[in-house]
Amino acid sequence: MAWLIATVAIVATAPALPSTSDESDFIPSSYESIQAAILQEDEFPNAFTPSATVLFQRADGGKLTTADQRDAARITTRLAAEKIDQVQNIVPGEPSEDGKYTMSLVQMNQETAGTLDQDAAAEALRENGRELAAGTDLDVKVGGPAAETLDQRESADRGETLIGLGTFGIILVTMLLIFRAPILAVLPLVMIGLVAGVANGVIANVTKMFDLQANTSLSSILIVVLFGVGTDYFLFLIFRYREHLRAGDEPKEAMVNAVARVGEAIASAAGAVIIAFLALLLSTVGFLRQMGPALAIAVIVTLIAGLTLMPAVVSLIGPKVFWPSKSWQREPSGARFTAFGRGVQRRPVVVAAVSGFVLVALSVGSLNYSATFDLAAGATPESKESMVVQKQVTEAYSIGASSPTEVYVSSSDGRLLDKSGFEGYAADLQGVDGVASAELTQMNDEGTTAKFTITLRYEASSTEAIDVVGDVRDVSHASAPEGTEVLVGGLSAIYKDIDHAVGRDYRTVFPVAAALIMVILGLMLRSIVAPWYLMASVGLGFGATLGTTVWVFQGAQGRPGLMFMLPVIMYLFVVAIGTDYNILMIARLREESRAGRDPRAAAGLALRHAGPAVATAGFILAATFSTMMLAGNTLLTQMGFALSFGIAITAFVMALFFTPAITALIGRTAWWPGHGDRGKPAAEPGFESDRPRLAPAPSSRPR
């Protein structure tokens, strides 16, 4: 009842979630490219900065005729005369060198960039352009920043729907196949749907309270995290509940004991995920910093539900939750995980060596990792109109002309600039390898700031362009006229600074997240030995995930690189969520050791009893993450593959085999100095009984 009341109250009062997709919002104003953008707004407020591009070409793909060019000019004039909201000016552009294209440049209100109003303006330009071109031989398309934002938002809405349906279907079908119980299949979806409403409402309130921003891809990621992690915790609970029922506990007592046994593992697993996501607050990249608190809130709400809502609902239903299946009443003899457990118990060296080799071999591909930085293209399917325009403009016009680099030279003491040295300064800039042209294009009204426009020989988001911008910065600062200050801006400069910011995050977020997760593991296990090899194994899982993703996208698909933020996201999800399975397995290992079993027998029994929960949860979460590939854009496709593969590796290789085998080999030293393995000797070690012998949970009452 408390959950129902809270859901209604929070959802009814939650504000709408804001959104941004502007690359310049992703790094702080201390970076040079952002300072250059601010200077542009202050000193050249009336400069023509196109927000959209209207591209004209013949429908048959041939060269434009004189009549076609007249039609393009007429359409441009008519579009400007229609006074579309947000559109300030439309001017003709230059024809392409091959004569197949011409364009018009659209200026919009810069203060409302990225808003729904400009989405509507881009949509109106498309509709009106097609109507005005009716009866001509022209094909009219609209691209540029405003159109990209429109397409990205539409793609995100479509992707969110597909991901939601895919996630729902995967969880429902998998739960039906495993448990053959319709109530048990539907129950987690209903409860997590309730949790999702609460989590989204809390996130929206926090976002508004602290004036945060949210990227359009966040909603899709939130769906997967909520349903994936929520199903994990539900499965951890239900498998242990079923085990206690099989051991003879009364239904309500079985739930009390299940929560007492697995509650610490769920809380520790959630704590690791929350800490890892909050570590993103240390990031200088806005996309990651925005995502961290939202995902942490989602996991906090899911954790509370996992320890309160889920046990309460299952307790009310009781064993009928497994209806009509009767298999919950007995443990299958000769089960697959019993065989796996025997294998680990008898040959831990072989199991550790083989699973470790697999992880190391897959990690080799990470040595070839390369990054790409075009977030707009990465978050929008290539088939969208704005992406088609971007590709055609890049191919038909000077490759760097669509996104030039700007060098701003300002007087350091407020005096008029001496223009006598500008010709030589432009020559120095043009002499940089990779620069096609450099020229003085504008002076501010006071004559204190000059703007030089640099056209690169490479596409703005390419690695080559980013490297050239670094050289341009070096030369522009070194050759600056005396008494001046220089700022280099433009899209390539922004990508250069994002690259620097991501590199800083690697050196900051990675070790901080790892250290905090190790602290949680140490506190849970009362050990300083186990956290080290557990984190080392998770690190191997991350390397294997990155290496395989590089082979698939850079190797097999021939892409120039992976989206720049992918390794950070991959690290946090694979390390944090992957640690969930390690925690569940190591907690069961400790429990079996406390029962007096030797390390190898403990590892075998832990795999026998915790293995089904880890395998089921890992499969569902990996399949859930894979639904992100349904969105159709590069960012979510790469993210979906990487996270689903990473979860599969951590569950099926690391948690099921590598971790128990290594723990069996290390023996009781793994629990030093807390001696977490000390307890009452087991009456029945090894695999002698099919019925689990469970020591009474700490919170259970005497029977």
Side-chain angles (χ1 to χ4, degrees):
M1 288 302 298
W3 269 95
L4 289 173
I5 293 170
T7 301
V8 172
I10 292 173
V11 171
T13 59
L17 197 65
S19 177
T20 180
S21 59
D22 186 354
E23 286 90 343
S24 64
D25 288 337
F26 280 49
I27 49 178
S29 58
S30 58
Y31 282 92
E32 184 174 341
S33 60
I34 306 304
Q35 293 177 1
I38 295 171
L39 180 67
Q40 155 84 21
E41 295 175 2
D42 292 341
E43 300 299 334
F44 304 99
N46 297 320
F48 189 96
T49 303
S51 299
T53 301
V54 182
L55 187 67
F56 302 95
Q57 69 175 126
R58 284 186 60 86
D60 59 11
K63 290 187 177 182
L64 297 173
T65 65
T66 303
D68 294 332
Q69 292 175 352
R70 284 198 300 268
D71 286 335
R74 174 183 59 82
I75 293 172
T76 298
T77 302
R78 291 283 302 276
L79 284 175
E82 290 182 356
K83 302 296 182 183
I84 298 172
D85 182 43
Q86 300 297 314
V87 175
Q88 297 175 331
N89 195 11
I90 304 179
V91 299
E94 296 293 329
S96 62
E97 292 182 3
D98 60 10
K100 293 183 177 181
Y101 300 90
T102 190
M103 65 170 66
S104 298
L105 304 176
V106 182
Q107 185 180 28
M108 295 187 187
N109 183 0
Q110 292 297 311
E111 296 179 357
T112 58
T115 63
L116 292 175
D117 290 337
Q118 290 208 0
D119 285 2
E123 184 65 33
L125 284 170
R126 285 176 174 170
E127 293 177 358
N128 295 352
R130 283 191 287 267
E131 290 176 3
L132 292 171
T136 72
D137 294 324
L138 291 177
D139 179 31
V140 181
K141 296 185 181 71
V142 178
E148 289 171 3
T149 301
L150 169 64
D151 288 342
Q152 185 176 341
R153 206 183 306 272
E154 290 179 348
S155 173
D157 292 342
R158 174 181 174 275
E160 185 176 337
T161 300
L162 290 174
I163 289 170
L165 292 174
T167 299
F168 188 93
I170 285 171
I171 293 174
L172 182 64
V173 171
T174 306
M175 296 288 281
L176 278 172
L177 290 175
I178 291 173
F179 293 102
R180 295 185 291 278
I183 297 175
L184 197 58
V186 173
L187 197 58
L189 295 171
V190 174
M191 289 191 290
I192 297 168
L194 197 92
V195 172
V198 175
N200 279 301
V202 174
I203 290 167
N205 278 302
V206 171
T207 300
K208 181 179 181 181
M209 186 182 305
F210 294 99
D211 194 26
L212 303 176
Q213 292 176 318
N215 183 267
T216 48
S217 299
L218 180 59
S219 295
S220 300
I221 299 172
L222 274 174
I223 291 173
V224 175
V225 169
L226 282 164
F227 279 87
V229 173
T231 304
D232 267 9
Y233 299 160
F234 180 78
L235 285 168
F236 292 173
L237 179 72
I238 208 70
F239 270 100
R240 201 57 188 259
Y241 175 61
R242 186 179 67 177
E243 188 177 339
H244 280 278
L245 288 175
R246 286 172 174 171
D249 289 1
E250 293 298 324
K252 288 191 181 296
E253 186 180 12
M255 181 55 71
V256 172
N257 289 335
V259 174
R261 288 291 189 185
V262 84
E264 184 183 19
I266 291 176
S268 299
V273 179
I274 293 164
I275 287 293
F277 287 154
L278 288 178
L280 287 175
L281 289 171
L282 301 175
S283 173
T284 53
V285 179
F287 175 80
L288 300 174
R289 196 171 57 254
Q290 295 158 13
M291 185 166 51
L295 295 179
I297 290 170
V299 178
I300 289 171
V301 175
T302 307
L303 168 62
I304 296 171
L307 297 178
T308 57
L309 176 65
M310 294 177 186
V313 172
V314 175
S315 288
L316 288 173
I317 300 173
K320 291 180 181 178
V321 74
F322 298 104
W323 178 88
S325 174
K326 302 291 185 181
S327 62
W328 65 271
Q329 298 175 350
R330 60 193 180 281
E331 183 177 6
S333 59
R336 184 178 297 107
F337 288 95
T338 300
F340 289 159
R342 286 197 181 101
V344 171
Q345 179 176 346
R346 293 169 181 171
R347 297 180 180 85
V349 175
V350 174
V351 173
V354 172
S355 55
F357 175 79
V358 170
L359 295 173
V360 172
L362 293 176
S363 299
V364 173
S366 61
L367 299 175
N368 296 320
Y369 165 74
S370 180
T372 57
F373 296 88
D374 191 350
L375 189 64
T380 311
E382 295 177 356
S383 60
K384 285 291 188 179
E385 186 170 324
S386 60
M387 294 296 100
V388 174
V389 170
Q390 183 186 76
K391 182 179 180 180
Q392 291 175 329
V393 169
T394 299
E395 293 174 348
Y397 290 80
S398 173
I399 195 167
S402 59
S403 299
T405 296
E406 292 92 18
V407 176
Y408 299 93
V409 180
S410 301
S411 172
S412 55
D413 56 8
R415 297 180 182 179
L416 291 176
L417 290 173
D418 181 5
K419 300 180 183 178
S420 60
F422 282 178
E423 185 174 344
Y425 186 67
D428 289 341
L429 294 175
Q430 188 162 342
V432 176
D433 188 25
V435 172
S437 65
E439 58 181 341
L440 174 66
T441 53
Q442 201 170 1
M443 294 283 296
N444 68 344
D445 295 339
E446 294 79 14
T448 56
T449 299
K451 175 182 176 181
F452 291 81
T453 299
I454 314 292
T455 301
L456 305 181
R457 300 184 186 277
Y458 308 103
E459 194 273 325
S461 64
S462 66
T463 303
E464 294 85 355
I466 293 169
D467 291 339
V468 172
V469 162
D471 295 336
V472 168
R473 277 182 173 168
D474 293 339
V475 172
S476 64
H477 287 282
S479 303
E482 187 176 351
T484 64
E485 298 174 348
V486 174
L487 293 173
V488 178
L491 202 54
S492 296
I494 290 175
Y495 292 142
K496 178 72 175 178
D497 288 340
I498 289 177
D499 187 26
H500 181 273
V502 171
R504 174 200 170 277
D505 289 351
Y506 291 162
R507 298 186 297 272
T508 304
V509 177
F510 280 25
V512 168
L516 292 174
I517 291 173
M518 285 184 67
V519 169
I520 289 176
L521 289 171
L523 291 174
M524 186 194 81
L525 300 173
R526 285 77 168 173
S527 167
I528 61 174
V529 175
W532 284 99
Y533 71 82
L534 290 176
M535 287 305 298
S537 68
V538 174
L540 283 175
F542 165 74
T545 303
L546 180 58
T548 304
T549 306
V550 168
W551 275 332
V552 169
F553 290 97
Q554 292 182 210
Q557 294 190 6
R559 293 187 177 274
L562 305 179
M563 291 303 297
F564 67 90
M565 79 285 286
L566 188 62
V568 177
I569 296 172
M570 189 189 306
Y571 176 82
L572 293 170
F573 276 84
V574 173
V575 170
I577 297 180
T579 302
D580 283 10
Y581 307 124
N582 258 349
I583 286 175
L584 187 67
M585 184 60 69
I586 202 74
R588 189 58 187 250
L589 272 161
R590 182 185 61 178
E591 183 179 329
E592 298 297 342
S593 295
R594 280 178 169 175
R597 295 183 173 92
D598 68 77
R600 292 194 178 195
L605 278 172
L607 181 52
R608 174 186 180 180
H609 294 304
V614 169
T616 304
F619 173 80
I620 290 178
L621 187 58
T624 301
F625 275 127
S626 71
T627 62
M628 296 171 71
M629 292 188 283
L630 297 173
N633 64 62
T634 302
L635 173 61
L636 290 179
T637 297
Q638 292 181 359
M639 193 182 300
F641 174 83
L643 297 184
S644 60
F645 184 84
I647 293 300
I649 281 289
T650 55
F652 293 99
V653 178
M654 184 180 68
L656 287 183
F657 296 105
F658 190 73
T659 294
I662 291 292
T663 305
L665 289 173
I666 294 176
R668 301 191 184 279
T669 305
W671 314 109
W672 186 87
H675 303 296
D677 59 329
R678 290 182 178 175
K680 184 179 179 181
E684 194 171 6
F687 290 87
E688 297 173 14
S689 172
D690 286 333
R691 182 173 182 246
R693 298 297 183 94
L694 301 171
S699 62
S700 65
R701 60 185 182 274
R703 290 192 296 166

